[in-house]
């Protein structure tokens, strides 16, 4: 299917800000080049393990900047926060007729339009086993189940955060009502009631929060890995793989994911600004930079031939 059939422009009719699109693309391409170079140069197993933590961060920022480039090209304001970008990534990919995993694959609530009974969007059309242990050896179609588990646990963490905030809002409302009650009782010479310390949600309130929590995608999962690497426990990326071969495979997979993410977003961009303009920007980067450019030149030739 032709690129223009897969990715029909969905933005407004205003002129595209090519300067901002190019800036986003340059950030994505530069980050991908660093990721590729690290994987290419880190032949020692120990270095590969150490590099994988930062590589997850780089993979996220490749997607982050590529997403922003497409959003601007399609007529949207460039989001300035991670949550805005991840939320708009959901809108960009999950509700389109053309399916393109893993970018359109999402974990949601079953009430979301297009979701299956387990709440997945863009799945393989069969029940997904999210009970697989993350260390389980898998093959073939089980990749869907592993991905489903990653997205489901990521969304569960988001739901937990939303529930926590809902409890905090409910407690704040209870305390506000308590203070008003204290004033009224003091005016009447009555003893004040104890200040509320907690506020639990009812089953209905919990269900409302869960339904309103947005779908999560690969963008959310990569962001989750980014947070773990930057703030929580980077050692899991060095110590987690059980063998040097697994660590090297993880590094290669991150490079493949970053390059594929760039390709699908570039194709979508070309549908908006034209392949010639995209190739011109690529040529400008390739001709002016002596830095490691890796797969960028290969994708340039691919787009030139479309």
């Amino acid at each position: 299917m032709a690129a223009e059939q897969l990715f029909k422009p969905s933005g407004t009719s205003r002129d595209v800000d090519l300067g901002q699109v190019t800036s986003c693309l340059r950030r994505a391409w530069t980050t991908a080049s660093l990721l590729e170079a690290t994987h290419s140069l880190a032949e020692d197993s120990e270095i590969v393990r150490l590099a994988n933590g930062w590589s997850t961060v780089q993979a996220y920022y490749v997607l982050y900047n590529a997403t922003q480039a497409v959003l601007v090209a399609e007529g949207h304001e460039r989001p300035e926060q991670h949550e805005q970008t991840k939320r708009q990534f959901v809108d960009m990919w999950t509700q389109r007729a053309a399916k393109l995993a893993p970018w359109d694959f999402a974990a949601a609530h079953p009430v979301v339009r297009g979701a299956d009974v387990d709440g997945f969007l863009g799945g393989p059309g069969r029940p997904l086993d999210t009970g697989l242990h993350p260390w389980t050896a898998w093959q073939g179609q089980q990749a869907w189940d592993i991905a489903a588990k990653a997205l489901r646990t990521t969304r569960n963490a988001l739901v937990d955060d939303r529930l926590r905030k809902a409890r905090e809002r409910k407690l704040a409302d209870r305390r506000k009502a308590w203070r008003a009650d204290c004033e009224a009782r003091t005016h009447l010479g009555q003893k004040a009631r104890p200040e509320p310390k907690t506020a639990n949600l009812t089953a209905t309130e919990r269900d409302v929060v869960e339904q309103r929590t947005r779908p999560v995608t690969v963008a959310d999962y990569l962001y989750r890995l980014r947070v773990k690497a930057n703030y929580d426990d980077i050692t899991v990326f060095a110590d987690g793989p059980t063998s040097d071969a697994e660590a090297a495979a993880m590094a290669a997979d991150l490079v493949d994911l970053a390059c594929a993410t760039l390709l699908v977003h570039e194709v979508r961009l070309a549908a908006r600004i034209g392949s010639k303009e995209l190739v011109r920007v690529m040529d400008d980067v390739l001709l002016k930079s002596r830095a490691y450019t890796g797969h960028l030149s290969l994708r340039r030739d691919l787009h030139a031939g479309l």
Side-chain angles (χ1 to χ4, degrees):
M1 185 180 292
E4 59 270 17
Q5 292 175 302
L6 275 172
F7 304 114
K8 294 180 180 179
S10 60
T12 65
S13 59
R14 71 180 180 85
D15 292 337
V16 174
D17 185 346
L18 287 176
Q20 194 169 61
V21 170
T22 300
S23 294
C24 293
L25 281 176
R26 285 178 180 272
R27 289 193 292 271
W29 291 338
T30 299
T31 305
S33 292
L34 291 172
L35 174 59
E36 294 168 38
T38 301
H39 175 59
S40 176
L41 298 173
E43 296 180 356
D44 182 83
S45 60
E46 185 66 23
I47 295 178
V48 171
R49 287 174 177 269
L50 293 174
N52 277 345
W54 181 239
S55 294
T56 60
V57 178
Q58 292 171 318
Y60 167 73
Y61 277 107
V62 168
L63 181 145
Y64 175 82
N65 287 297
T67 299
Q68 293 198 335
V70 172
L71 287 171
V72 173
E74 294 187 348
H76 304 281
E77 294 293 329
R78 185 178 73 84
E80 297 182 355
Q81 298 178 348
H82 292 288
E83 176 57 27
Q84 288 178 304
T85 303
K86 291 183 293 174
R87 186 171 60 249
Q88 290 182 257
F89 184 91
V90 174
D91 298 334
M92 279 175 54
W93 288 106
T94 64
Q95 295 299 333
R96 288 180 172 267
K99 298 302 179 184
L100 197 61
W103 302 278
D104 70 316
F105 188 38
H109 193 280
V111 301
V112 173
R113 179 169 61 91
D116 63 21
V117 294
D118 294 318
F120 289 104
L121 294 159
R126 64 168 175 83
L128 292 165
D129 182 7
T130 58
L132 287 176
H133 193 281
W135 296 344
T136 300
W138 59 271
Q139 55 185 308
Q141 289 296 307
Q142 283 185 313
W144 283 103
D145 303 290
I146 295 295
K149 182 180 181 65
L151 295 184
R152 174 60 58 79
T153 56
T154 301
R155 187 172 185 276
N156 287 344
L158 185 60
V159 169
D160 288 343
D161 183 62
R162 298 292 192 270
L163 290 171
R164 175 185 60 80
K165 291 179 179 178
R167 288 192 297 270
E168 290 175 351
R169 290 193 298 270
K170 187 173 184 178
L171 179 57
D173 290 341
R174 288 187 61 187
R175 284 176 171 168
K176 181 178 179 180
W178 170 79
R179 286 191 292 270
D181 181 68
C182 283
E183 292 180 5
R185 294 177 71 84
T186 299
H187 182 71
L188 296 173
Q190 298 174 349
K191 183 179 180 181
R193 293 189 176 94
E195 179 181 1
K197 301 297 183 181
T198 60
N200 295 321
L201 302 177
T202 66
T204 299
E205 290 170 334
R206 288 180 60 89
D207 191 52
V208 169
V209 170
E210 291 178 7
Q211 289 188 34
R212 290 179 176 176
T213 301
R214 65 171 177 79
V216 302
T217 65
V218 63
D220 295 279
Y221 182 64
L222 288 176
Y223 180 80
R224 178 183 173 191
L225 295 183
R226 171 218 173 225
V227 171
K228 181 176 285 293
N230 270 345
Y231 306 108
D232 295 340
D233 183 18
I234 196 171
T235 61
V236 69
F237 299 100
D239 301 337
T242 58
S243 68
D244 293 345
E246 287 184 359
M250 177 183 174
D253 288 344
L254 287 169
V255 171
D256 289 344
L257 177 59
C259 292
T261 294
L262 284 171
L263 177 60
V264 297
H265 285 79
E266 288 162 358
V267 170
R268 187 157 170 171
L269 274 169
R272 179 68 180 181
I273 67 175
S275 295
K276 289 184 178 180
E277 180 62 28
L278 177 63
V279 171
R280 185 196 65 77
V281 176
M282 288 179 149
D283 284 340
D284 187 54
V285 172
L286 290 167
L287 290 172
K288 291 183 178 180
S289 175
R290 294 182 180 179
Y292 184 88
T293 53
H295 294 85
L296 177 59
S297 59
L298 298 178
R299 295 197 309 277
R300 180 267 178 210
D301 293 341
L302 176 61
H303 290 300
L306 293 178

